[in-house]
Amino acid sequence: MVVGLGLSSAEKSYIAGGIAVDLRGDGRGRHHFRDFSIDTSIIPQANGSARLRLGGTDVIASVKAELCAPPPGRPHHGKLEINVECSPTAAPEFEGRGGEELSMDLSRALQRSFLGGASGAGAAIDLASLVVLEGKLCWMLYFDGLVLSSDGNLLDALSIAMKAALSNCGLPKVEITSGTNPEDDADFELNEEEFTPVDTSRFPVIVTLTKVGKHYIVDATAEEESQMTAAVSVAVNKKGSICGLTKRGGTGLDPSVLLDMISVAKRVSQTLITSIDAEISAAESRHDDQ
Amino acid sequence: MGDAMRGAHFRLSPAQKQRMLVAQERCRDAAGSVHSSAFVNVGDTIPVDYENGYLRGHGTQVVDGQLLATVCGVVERVNKLVSVRPLRARYNPETGDVVVGRVTEVAPKRWKVDVNSRQDAQLMLSAVNLPGGIQRRRTATDELNMRDLFTENDLISAEVQTLHQDGSLHLHTRSLKYGKLESGQLVKVAPYLIKRLKQHFHQLKQYGVQMILGCNGYVWISALPQSTPDIATDQKRANTESLEAAAGTADSQNVEISRELRERICRLANVVRVLGACGFLIHPDSIVDTYEASLSWGTELKHMFSGEFFVKVVEREAEQRSKKG
């Protein structure tokens, strides 16, 4: 995914050799995630925001809620939109239009995992919960991701940051003053003091397995990513169900390898979600203390 | 990418943060550490003797008759010259420095090498020895076969030969110890953390590991090189037609590295990364010391980027500094 990373052939074979003996350059095994930390409520204007630092990778996610009319033909649904941007400060190759391709890739992969089908079925959030007044008024959630610094595994980092931003998100209470009749336009008042949280229990995290040589690894660094032959990103929710699947990279995968990868992703995701939840609540309590 | 400078981020619990603050305070208070007034921020006034006059050096500017710092760093005074040396800067080369660099380009009769300086360094074909220490014979085929020696992205160790007025620098590898680097890993730290010493090649025989502390902040940690090739074969090789033959045999590529050796290399690399993140000097003694400490604490390799290990390293340093005082 990250381009322009030159490694000598000796380094390449050292990396591959390390992965083969289950000892990577920074001391991790093949299926270990790097330590990460989460900060929440970092953008005052957003309804919810979070910053995730995972080794040298640094991303910000925010959730902005807006009231709007439900999508045509689906009066019981709210809307979600996901967009990712790569900051030119993250890497020289992101300058100008350089980051666009990567931004598109990341946005698309996140959309595929979080938005569900065209009907909204299988979305990461229960879309019905975003309805304020059936057929007239619903919440539209804009998820924005910003890549500040990249040391590999951006997709997983963004998914964790978005999960944290969503659990940090509060929707202001809406009081409908008039327009409950089917013909009238809705009239409402926003109560900016009372907030209702969004249910995040369905929200999946993405675990990317990067295949280097004969083996696959979790949470690859930029160096390791430069050596990948294929990568599979699996979105898994708390229950352990697969919500989305994306494959990148040139070479094909044997179906049996793919199944192995999915089961590893599932196992890794369960411990990951536990530690994410712990980190989020730690971040929230830090915030309450201040 | 993967800079230790930038990549360093440690998750600290509130209790660890508190311990960290205490340890940092102790480090600062310890005798022998630089007085905090020596550090300036952008826009800070630098106290100078206005009556006797002073010379305005790099990183300073006179505003309304006051001398202000224009960069963050340490105030340095040489007689009347007052300058500020920025800490977070690119590598400032000096003749004779040992550096580790990456070849970025193969140009006519020279290689361009990234050494974390403002410009890429130049390594002339006339400034290299062939592997095994053979003198190169100037032939036209040599120039065509430069990639047999070093190719793009190769890591090499070299010495700064000359600096030029325009900021460019030339390297040379005219010694047995310099040349292509293999069977190991590169760690990048801030250049100011590596002090110029007599020795920059360190053979840690007890671990079977070699470290090259490049003055440019690039640290190479690898398996000990194979025993130096004996003279007889060298002589024989010198007699055969130069470059291709020599490069071909010396191109050993990563020899098989055992898992134990890999673990030691990795632990040393992680120690250098953590020391770099703490802003402590990267010195062979401090590396070995922290390495042994990490073993005695029973810190697992994968937990060396945890907040706990980070705090422990800082506390240990605080302990040692206050003992000295």
Side-chain angles (χ1 to χ4, degrees), chain A residues 10-11 13-14 21 26 37, chain B residues 9 102 185 254 259 262 270:
Chain A
E11 284 174 288
S13 64
Y14 188 84
V21 296
D26 50 8
S37 68
Chain B
H9 178 70
R102 193 185 291 280
Q185 63 183 93
N254 288 341
R259 196 192 145 98
R262 219 175 250 280
N270 282 356

Side-chain angles (χ1 to χ4, degrees), chain A residues 217-255:
Chain A
I217 52 172
V218 160
D219 189 20
T221 62
E223 278 185 0
E224 289 163 341
E225 266 178 7
S226 72
Q227 296 310 305
M228 79 172 197
T229 52
V232 175
S233 300
V234 189
V236 192
N237 67 11
K238 215 173 207 161
K239 284 186 198 141
S241 328
I242 312 294
C243 309
L245 201 60
T246 318
K247 184 194 161 289
R248 283 176 283 126
T251 49
L253 287 172
D254 193 75

Side-chain angles (χ1 to χ4, degrees), chain A residues 153-234:
Chain A
N153 208 16
L154 286 173
L155 193 58
D156 299 16
L158 283 164
S159 79
I160 299 171
M162 286 186 176
K163 191 179 168 76
L166 186 68
S167 52
N168 177 241
C169 174
L171 299 175
K173 204 173 173 196
V174 188
E175 280 157 21
I176 308 292
T177 49
S178 66
T180 33
N181 294 331
E183 297 84 36
D184 306 343
D185 277 342
D187 226 351
F188 57 88
E189 268 174 28
L190 278 184
N191 182 348
E192 294 281 358
E193 260 143 45
E194 275 183 65
F195 292 95
T196 45
V198 184
D199 178 29
T200 60
S201 57
R202 273 168 65 170
F203 206 86
V205 291
I206 297 179
V207 175
T208 301
L209 294 143
T210 309
K211 194 157 182 274
V212 179
K214 282 181 188 155
H215 303 271
Y216 45 88
I217 52 172
V218 160
D219 189 20
T221 62
E223 278 185 0
E224 289 163 341
E225 266 178 7
S226 72
Q227 296 310 305
M228 79 172 197
T229 52
V232 175
S233 300
V234 189

Side-chain angles (χ1 to χ4, degrees), chain B residues 43-325:
Chain B
D44 283 356
T45 52
I46 304 168
V48 282
D49 188 358
Y50 287 99
E51 280 173 18
N52 287 326
Y54 61 90
L55 283 169
R56 184 170 62 81
H58 285 296
T60 64
Q61 194 176 3
V62 180
V63 178
D64 298 332
Q66 272 193 319
L67 189 67
L68 302 183
T70 55
V71 291
C72 301
V74 191
V75 179
E76 286 189 337
R77 294 159 201 268
V78 180
N79 293 327
K80 285 187 175 180
L81 178 69
V82 181
S83 55
V84 180
R85 182 170 53 91
L87 288 183
R88 262 191 160 231
R90 288 193 162 268
Y91 164 58
N92 220 352
E94 278 176 29
T95 305
D97 279 357
V98 174
V99 295
V100 172
R102 193 185 291 280
V103 175
T104 57
E105 198 184 323
V106 182
K109 290 185 192 170
R110 77 197 65 198
W111 291 271
K112 300 271 180 69
V113 186
D114 161 42
V115 289
N116 197 23
S117 182
R118 291 173 200 86
Q119 297 182 24
D120 278 354
Q122 305 205 36
L123 174 65
M124 304 296 289
L125 180 57
S126 57
V128 299
N129 269 12
L130 301 184
I134 314 152
Q135 277 291 332
R136 189 182 71 91
R137 295 203 204 148
R138 264 169 207 267
T139 58
T141 43
D142 270 14
E143 279 174 41
L144 295 173
N145 294 329
M146 277 173 66
R147 280 202 175 80
D148 291 341
L149 219 49
F150 308 129
T151 175
E152 286 92 346
N153 294 328
D154 271 356
L155 281 171
I156 57 165
S157 60
E159 190 177 304
V160 177
Q161 185 167 38
T162 44
L163 303 172
H164 295 276
Q165 205 61 56
D166 60 355
S168 65
L169 62 150
H170 280 93
L171 306 177
H172 77 85
T173 62
R174 234 183 264 110
S175 159
L176 259 181
K177 57 184 181 178
Y178 300 131
K180 202 189 238 175
L181 300 174
E182 273 160 359
S183 320
Q185 63 183 93
L186 179 76
V187 181
K188 294 177 184 173
V189 296
Y192 76 93
L193 292 176
I194 296 182
K195 286 279 166 272
R196 296 187 168 90
L197 301 168
K198 273 189 187 148
Q199 255 321 319
H200 284 269
F201 284 71
H202 300 279
Q203 307 218 327
L204 306 174
K205 293 249 166 60
Q206 69 272 40
Y207 310 138
V209 174
Q210 172 184 249
M211 281 195 305
I212 306 172
L213 306 178
C215 292
N216 55 341
Y218 289 7
V219 177
W220 177 255
I221 302 169
S222 66
L224 269 181
Q226 306 292 304
S227 52
T228 41
D230 56 284
I231 317 288
T233 55
D234 267 10
Q235 291 293 326
K236 209 164 70 188
R237 223 187 277 156
N239 294 335
T240 63
E241 207 38 69
S242 63
L243 220 144
E244 302 125 86
T249 43
D251 193 25
S252 55
Q253 273 297 322
N254 288 341
V255 273
E256 208 48 54
I257 307 168
S258 68
R259 196 192 145 98
E260 290 68 37
L261 179 57
R262 219 175 250 280
E263 278 175 7
R264 290 194 292 271
I265 292 176
C266 181
R267 190 173 285 271
L268 282 167
N270 282 356
V271 162
V272 172
R273 289 186 181 115
V274 171
L275 287 175
C278 297
F280 295 148
L281 282 186
I282 311 287
H283 187 273
D285 295 343
S286 69
I287 296 171
V288 171
D289 184 61
T290 316
Y291 178 95
E292 292 298 337
S294 79
L295 282 179
S296 67
W297 294 328
T299 312
E300 273 183 73
L301 274 175
K302 60 181 178 208
H303 292 143
M304 289 180 79
F305 294 106
S306 65
E308 183 60 28
F309 183 68
F310 185 60
V311 173
K312 270 183 172 167
V313 169
V314 178
E315 281 179 339
R316 190 183 158 79
E317 176 77 14
E319 191 71 35
Q320 284 170 348
R321 284 198 196 176
S322 47
K323 252 187 223 158
K324 267 186 220 157

Side-chain angles (χ1 to χ4, degrees), chain A residues 105-125:
Chain A
D105 276 353
L106 291 169
S107 310
R108 227 177 280 137
L110 289 167
Q111 284 160 3
R112 223 171 281 149
S113 307
F114 293 160
L115 295 192
S119 65
I125 302 170

Side-chain angles (χ1 to χ4, degrees), chain A:
Chain A
M1 230 167 181
V2 178
V3 286
L5 189 72
L7 291 176
S8 71
S9 53
E11 284 174 288
K12 286 176 189 168
S13 64
Y14 188 84
I15 289 174
I19 289 169
V21 296
D22 200 17
L23 180 71
R24 290 152 72 179
D26 50 8
R28 286 183 292 153
R30 284 197 285 264
H31 301 156
H32 285 133
F33 235 80
R34 285 172 283 185
D35 261 11
F36 58 87
S37 68
I38 294 174
D39 281 318
T40 52
S41 302
I42 52 162
I43 304 172
Q45 288 89 349
N47 292 67
S49 57
R51 177 180 188 182
L52 174 90
R53 275 178 281 194
L54 175 74
T57 296
D58 196 343
V59 297
I60 288 180
S62 74
V63 182
K64 179 81 184 145
E66 245 174 47
L67 280 168
C68 68
R74 276 178 283 138
H76 311 289
H77 281 174
K79 291 195 247 183
L80 298 180
E81 207 174 288
I82 298 175
N83 194 39
V84 176
E85 227 174 273
C86 295
S87 160
T89 53
E93 52 265 29
F94 294 165
E95 260 168 58
R97 299 171 70 92
E100 259 173 38
E101 203 180 323
L102 178 62
S103 309
M104 291 256 284
D105 276 353
L106 291 169
S107 310
R108 227 177 280 137
L110 289 167
Q111 284 160 3
R112 223 171 281 149
S113 307
F114 293 160
L115 295 192
S119 65
I125 302 170
D126 180 14
L127 293 180
S129 71
L130 297 176
V131 174
V132 181
L133 189 62
E134 199 168 296
K136 284 185 180 170
L137 208 56
C138 73
W139 285 111
M140 169 132 189
L141 299 185
Y142 292 93
F143 282 83
D144 285 293
L146 178 64
V147 176
L148 293 179
S149 162
S150 156
D151 188 13
N153 208 16
L154 286 173
L155 193 58
D156 299 16
L158 283 164
S159 79
I160 299 171
M162 286 186 176
K163 191 179 168 76
L166 186 68
S167 52
N168 177 241
C169 174
L171 299 175
K173 204 173 173 196
V174 188
E175 280 157 21
I176 308 292
T177 49
S178 66
T180 33
N181 294 331
E183 297 84 36
D184 306 343
D185 277 342
D187 226 351
F188 57 88
E189 268 174 28
L190 278 184
N191 182 348
E192 294 281 358
E193 260 143 45
E194 275 183 65
F195 292 95
T196 45
V198 184
D199 178 29
T200 60
S201 57
R202 273 168 65 170
F203 206 86
V205 291
I206 297 179
V207 175
T208 301
L209 294 143
T210 309
K211 194 157 182 274
V212 179
K214 282 181 188 155
H215 303 271
Y216 45 88
I217 52 172
V218 160
D219 189 20
T221 62
E223 278 185 0
E224 289 163 341
E225 266 178 7
S226 72
Q227 296 310 305
M228 79 172 197
T229 52
V232 175
S233 300
V234 189
V236 192
N237 67 11
K238 215 173 207 161
K239 284 186 198 141
S241 328
I242 312 294
C243 309
L245 201 60
T246 318
K247 184 194 161 289
R248 283 176 283 126
T251 49
L253 287 172
D254 193 75
S256 65
V257 175
L258 192 64
L259 287 176
D260 278 351
M261 284 171 129
I262 290 172
S263 66
V264 169
K266 185 183 160 184
R267 204 180 62 233
V268 171
S269 71
Q270 297 311 298
T271 45
L272 184 63
I273 288 175
T274 323
S275 53
I276 291 170
D277 286 345
E279 262 301 292
I280 291 174
S281 56
E284 294 288 356
S285 65
R286 264 205 308 277
H287 210 73
D288 292 340
D289 290 344
Q290 283 162 11

